[in-house]
Amino acid sequence: MKKICTFFGLLISMCLLLNVGFSSLSVKGAAAGNTEQTSDSNFTNLIVFARFADENEFVNDIYQGVSVREIIDNSYNTAYYSVGDYYRNASSDKLRMNSLYLFDNGGSLQLKHERGYYAGYSADNPIGYKTSGEKAYRMYELRTDWSDAINKAIQDGNHITNYNGSQTYSYEDLDKNRDGKIDSITVIYKNTTQNIVINRSDPLWNYKDYADYVEINLGDGRMLQSQYYVQVINNYSTLYMANNDQKPIVSLKSPIHEMGHIFGLLDLYNSSGQTPVYFMSAMANAISPVPQGLSIKEKEALGWTDHSTLKTITEPGEYKVKLSGTATGTDDCIGYKAGIPELNRTLYLEYRNFSTDGSKYDKSEKQLTNSETSNIASGLVCYLAQPDIRFPSNLNGKPGNWALEVKGGTQSTKSDAALGLSDSLQVTDKLKVTVTAIEGEVLTFQIEGEMEQHVHSGGQATCTKKAVCEECGMEYGEIDPTCHLNLQRQGFKEPTQEENGYTGDLVCTDCNAIVEAGEIIDKLPVTPPDGKPEPEIPPVSPGNPPVMLEGDKAEVSKNPDNNSGAVFRSSAPLDNLIEVKVDEKVLVKDKDYTACSGSTIITLLPSFLAGLSEGAHNIAIVSTTGTAKADFSVISDPAPVPPAPVPPASTPVPPASGNTNTAGSSTDTLADPVSETASTAGSANVSGNSSLPDTAQMKKDSSGTDIKSPQCGEKNCFTLLLEDFIEILKKVLIFLGFSSKI
């Protein structure tokens, strides 16, 4: 029965294990990029298509022979111009975005309200909101509407996939930085022909916001939650296609602009439509259908520059800068900045080429179908930015007080602001910039006048290096011969009973200087003979690490019947104990060993010793003040022969005939220990009250011949006792009703 129970227990465990495994596959899946460009992504944008309660499915609607879902995947992932490629280019390959999808049974998510519910009231839209309070609440409802639809789609078993559902992804792929938040969500509403007016800041306007209502259970108590999202409504009646690509895309103006908000970038225009940046950033007035690149100031804010790619100018002179947007991923300088005390502004400079042979996204003419050309001058673009503001915003700015503005030119679009060859810009009365050469992707400029004298700060000088300025990345000051950051204890020697030990020197691994000399460790005390008082245990200190007082060179048996354990004693206090290791394996307290005070006394338990191989082993008792070590050997000697069991005391049986031998034992046949009287009384006396034969008595066989006593050597006492006991047991069982054939 025990074997059967064990079998069924294992079977049930296997079934439970398989059930967990299959559930995990449905959550985690196999993560891989669906295109070569996104196979090494470090940021995931989750795309969900949504239709309102009064609308039909649209993800498979065909435009120019291509479905909506494929057009969107072209626009975000795979086309020559795409949202993902734009930010990979702008970041010099630091941001690698991949857009994945959540469908509901292969289609879009159905929302609970009609489209007009989220728009303003009109004669054509009687269900729209009428007050600003209603508008704010319905904007909140829209967030919860699509969030609830996502939660339900996941609960119904839908997975994260590529655009056509042929590849399944793990939910964990939505959180590339593992902060418990979905990197980004893009909600794409169905395009419509309804006569509904949508104004800026309306619930249905294209914008970025925050919603933490999506929750995905990853198992093991881990949850994945939504955070920033963007929503857009695309126009599919006019599509665009690069001549070298043949993949139709929607206009990327809004998707790229709104995605910039996800990363923290802010609007560089104001509410009145004025923009001091215009064509020089996708966050200002972007070119449609594919916007131009970002400014060097915005790249700095996003962490896409460093001290090599964006340098600080502190002195007049000639400087070279490489073309922006080349995405080489090298240490080439693509921008400069200089403090202008006179204006309380920071001057940023970068080289941008908007011609047909310029960088990919700055090109005015991008060889796109249905695309218009904007005539923008190429050259050195100069910006003035408010200092100490990471993400500039012009939304509430005004002339004379912009957070970021482009200097130079006469056009409001800033299309003529860039400085060409031999062009100059008088930034202030005391500061002038002139372009002196343009050769391929490198522009050279001269800067003259007064600028902020940069004061290096931060960093730390060491014994081998100067401090590095946290602002400009340059070394400054002097080497500090007293600052050793990388220290290592070298030359440690364990003490023995024959030789002193050494704590080792504290050495700087950078300059090899001895920062702190070591100390001598006294020899180990000789273990005294039994009965003599032990020597005083030396105090444990950094200069006097613990030693093994007992157990070194011990020989222990792996047979638990021969040994109650192996005892080792360290001179360190028990409170300082960290761990115990045998042959470098960390042991488990109370399973492999016990610990008690008396310095530190470690007893290896017999069950642990039984698992060790014969031969040499070592033990390390690790304490906060050091490690005490010892060697010991394990032998496998046989278990001792157990002593013969002492027979149970018996009640003397009176002889049948009064004939007694010299030993006081009857030589006649013994009476049946289970008497007829006992039987009729209903008691078999099996609890020890029955009269058992004395093992010292002689026995007679059926013929009356004496059986030799144990002293004769043929049968010992134990054998005779066992035979008697078996016979008595048979009789008891027969009496209780069991078969007489036992």
Side-chain angles (χ1 to χ4, degrees):
M1 176 60 72
K2 182 177 181 181
K3 291 183 178 179
I4 294 174
C5 292
T6 302
F7 171 77
F8 278 101
L10 290 172
L11 181 61
I12 292 171
S13 299
M14 287 288 289
C15 293
L16 291 173
L17 181 60
L18 287 172
N19 183 56
V20 171
F22 294 143
S23 298
S24 300
L25 283 175
S26 67
V27 172
K28 295 183 179 179
N34 61 337
T35 67
E36 181 181 352
Q37 292 86 345
T38 56
S39 59
D40 60 344
S41 64
N42 57 14
F43 183 90
T44 299
N45 173 47
L46 175 63
I47 294 179
V48 292
F49 296 95
R51 68 187 190 277
F52 296 97
D54 55 339
E55 297 175 342
N56 296 323
E57 185 57 76
F58 71 104
V59 297
N60 294 317
D61 291 350
I62 302 298
Y63 297 89
Q64 295 186 16
V66 182
S67 67
V68 167
R69 67 170 78 215
E70 186 172 357
I71 293 170
I72 292 301
D73 198 62
N74 294 341
S75 303
Y76 279 86
N77 281 335
T78 63
Y80 180 75
Y81 291 111
S82 69
V83 179
D85 182 73
Y86 178 91
Y87 283 103
R88 192 161 188 159
N89 183 279
S91 67
S92 294
D93 211 40
K94 293 181 177 65
L95 177 67
R96 302 182 297 277
M97 182 172 71
N98 186 20
S99 291
L100 303 179
Y101 300 83
L102 175 66
F103 295 102
D104 185 7
N105 197 27
S108 61
L109 308 184
Q110 180 81 64
L111 305 185
K112 62 184 178 181
H113 288 297
E114 298 178 10
R115 181 185 293 266
Y117 181 81
Y118 297 113
Y121 172 84
S122 69
D124 294 324
N125 186 36
I127 63 173
Y129 52 80
K130 296 180 179 179
T131 67
S132 59
E134 280 187 314
K135 172 182 175 180
Y137 185 75
R138 293 190 184 185
M139 182 174 285
Y140 160 78
E141 280 190 290
L142 181 56
R143 290 195 294 268
T144 58
D145 199 352
W146 58 256
S147 296
D148 291 344
I150 289 177
N151 288 330
K152 184 178 184 302
I154 293 174
Q155 292 167 6
D156 289 345
N158 294 284
H159 304 299
I160 306 301
T161 68
N162 59 348
Y163 81 97
N164 62 10
S166 63
Q167 175 67 57
T168 299
Y169 293 81
S170 164
Y171 289 123
E172 293 184 355
D173 281 335
L174 302 179
D175 178 20
K176 285 294 186 176
N177 63 353
R178 298 296 185 259
D179 64 351
K181 304 291 185 181
I182 298 174
D183 295 341
S184 170
I185 296 178
T186 295
V187 182
I188 299 178
Y189 298 122
K190 182 177 181 178
N191 52 313
T192 182
T193 57
Q194 296 183 42
N195 188 19
I196 294 178
V197 178
I198 302 175
N199 298 310
R200 186 181 299 275
S201 79
D202 282 356
L204 295 177
W205 186 258
N206 295 338
Y207 59 80
K208 165 254 180 183
D209 208 337
Y210 185 91
D212 56 3
Y213 313 121
V214 174
E215 293 184 337
I216 303 174
N217 188 348
L218 299 177
D220 301 326
R222 297 176 300 135
M223 296 296 295
L224 185 58
Q225 196 172 29
S226 59
Q227 52 172 352
Y228 297 111
Y229 74 94
V230 299
Q231 63 176 38
V232 292
I233 300 175
N234 296 308
N235 176 15
Y236 305 99
S237 60
T238 301
L239 298 178
Y240 308 89
M241 192 164 19
N243 294 343
N244 59 344
D245 188 42
Q246 303 302 308
K247 287 188 175 182
I249 60 174
V250 297
S251 172
L252 302 182
K253 177 179 179 179
S254 290
I256 287 176
H257 178 94
E258 300 304 335
M259 189 58 65
H261 287 314
I262 290 287
F263 303 131
L265 298 178
L266 302 176
D267 290 319
L268 295 179
Y269 53 79
N270 70 0
S271 55
S272 64
Q274 293 178 304
T275 170
V277 178
Y278 218 94
F279 282 151
M280 300 305 163
S281 171
M283 303 308 294
N285 291 68
I287 299 173
S288 181
V290 177
Q292 62 280 21
L294 300 172
S295 68
I296 187 65
K297 167 60 179 173
E298 292 167 296
K299 293 178 182 178
E300 178 192 35
L302 292 168
W304 296 343
T305 63
D306 55 29
H307 300 311
S308 298
T309 55
L310 177 61
K311 297 182 178 180
T312 300
I313 298 176
T314 59
E315 300 289 342
E318 188 173 80
Y319 298 89
K320 296 181 181 295
V321 60
K322 191 170 182 180
L323 178 65
S324 175
T326 52
T328 59
T330 67
D331 292 334
D332 293 328
C333 179
I334 59 172
Y336 288 91
K337 62 180 180 177
I340 312 298
E342 185 179 353
L343 300 176
N344 189 29
R345 290 289 189 273
T346 301
L347 174 67
Y348 287 83
L349 307 101
E350 66 174 336
Y351 172 30
R352 299 181 69 168
N353 188 346
F354 296 98
S355 68
T356 55
D357 59 348
S359 58
K360 184 173 182 178
Y361 285 91
D362 271 348
K363 289 181 181 180
S364 301
E365 187 176 345
K366 296 185 173 68
Q367 302 299 314
L368 278 167
T369 59
N370 303 319
S371 178
E372 298 181 359
T373 301
S374 298
N375 188 18
I376 307 175
S378 303
L380 186 68
V381 180
C382 304
Y383 310 82
L384 285 179
Q386 290 183 356
D388 305 322
I389 295 178
R390 179 181 175 186
F391 291 107
S393 171
N394 289 332
L395 198 58
N396 298 313
K398 57 184 180 180
N401 191 32
W402 299 111
L404 180 67
E405 63 177 313
V406 174
K407 301 301 293 182
T410 59
Q411 301 295 318
S412 60
T413 61
K414 301 299 177 180
S415 58
D416 61 342
L419 303 179
L421 182 61
S422 301
D423 288 343
S424 296
L425 174 66
Q426 196 74 39
V427 182
T428 70
D429 292 340
K430 302 178 181 179
L431 185 67
K432 182 180 179 180
V433 177
T434 303
V435 175
T436 58
I438 301 178
E439 299 176 352
E441 294 184 346
V442 178
L443 181 148
T444 305
F445 66 92
Q446 181 80 28
I447 186 167
E448 304 171 276
E450 296 181 5
M451 61 201 74
E452 187 174 68
Q453 297 303 303
H454 175 64
V455 178
H456 297 300
S457 61
Q460 184 177 22
T462 69
C463 56
T464 58
K465 295 180 180 180
K466 298 178 181 180
V468 176
C469 177
E470 293 179 347
E471 175 65 23
C472 69
M474 295 180 62
E475 289 187 343
Y476 71 98
E478 301 296 332
I479 289 174
D480 183 356
T482 65
C483 182
H484 306 283
L485 297 182
N486 300 301
L487 301 177
Q488 186 180 78
R489 182 71 65 176
Q490 298 179 357
F492 173 78
K493 178 183 177 183
E494 290 275 7
T496 66
Q497 293 180 345
E498 293 77 25
E499 295 182 353
N500 291 329
Y502 190 63
T503 61
D505 300 324
L506 197 61
V507 178
C508 174
T509 58
D510 293 326
C511 67
N512 297 319
I514 298 178
V515 178
E516 177 184 287
E519 297 179 357
I520 299 295
I521 305 174
D522 293 336
K523 297 178 182 178
L524 299 180
V526 178
T527 304
D530 293 342
K532 292 185 179 182
E534 294 184 359
E536 182 180 354
I537 299 174
V540 176
S541 65
N544 195 15
V547 296
M548 193 70 77
L549 300 176
E550 293 182 20
D552 191 32
K553 310 301 181 185
E555 187 176 82
V556 298
S557 172
K558 66 182 296 181
N559 192 324
D561 293 330
N562 290 349
N563 199 300
S564 60
V567 179
F568 300 88
R569 182 182 177 196
S570 166
S571 64
L574 180 61
D575 291 342
N576 293 355
L577 179 64
I578 297 176
E579 63 185 7
V580 177
K581 296 190 291 186
V582 169
D583 300 334
E584 299 302 320
K585 175 185 177 182
V586 178
L587 306 190
V588 179
K589 186 179 180 184
D590 296 329
K591 176 184 176 185
D592 302 328
Y593 72 93
T594 60
C596 61
S597 60
S599 301
T600 298
I601 299 176
I602 301 298
T603 301
L604 301 181
L605 297 176
S607 58
F608 172 74
L609 293 173
L612 293 180
S613 62
E614 294 183 50
H617 297 274
N618 61 78
I619 183 172
I621 302 176
V622 184
S623 302
T624 57
T625 52
T627 301
K629 298 181 179 180
D631 295 322
F632 66 96
S633 58
V634 173
I635 61 175
S636 182
D637 53 347
V641 178
V646 178
S650 60
T651 304
V653 180
S657 62
N659 183 16
T660 307
N661 64 11
T662 57
S665 300
S666 172
T667 58
D668 295 334
T669 303
L670 300 178
D672 190 340
V674 184
S675 67
E676 182 179 352
T677 304
S679 299
T680 56
S683 174
N685 292 323
V686 293
S687 62
N689 295 327
S690 63
S691 297
L692 298 178
D694 192 325
T695 57
Q697 292 176 325
M698 297 295 293
K699 304 293 185 290
K700 292 185 177 182
D701 60 17
S702 59
S703 64
T705 305
D706 288 342
I707 300 175
K708 293 182 180 180
S709 69
Q711 287 80 4
C712 296
E714 294 183 10
K715 289 189 178 182
N716 60 30
C717 296
F718 177 79
T719 304
L720 294 172
L721 178 62
L722 180 61
E723 291 175 348
D724 289 342
F725 177 78
I726 292 173
E727 290 298 319
I728 293 170
L729 180 61
K730 287 181 179 180
K731 293 179 180 181
V732 172
L733 293 174
I734 292 172
F735 171 76
L736 293 176
F738 289 86
S739 173
S740 61
K741 296 181 180 180
I742 295 177

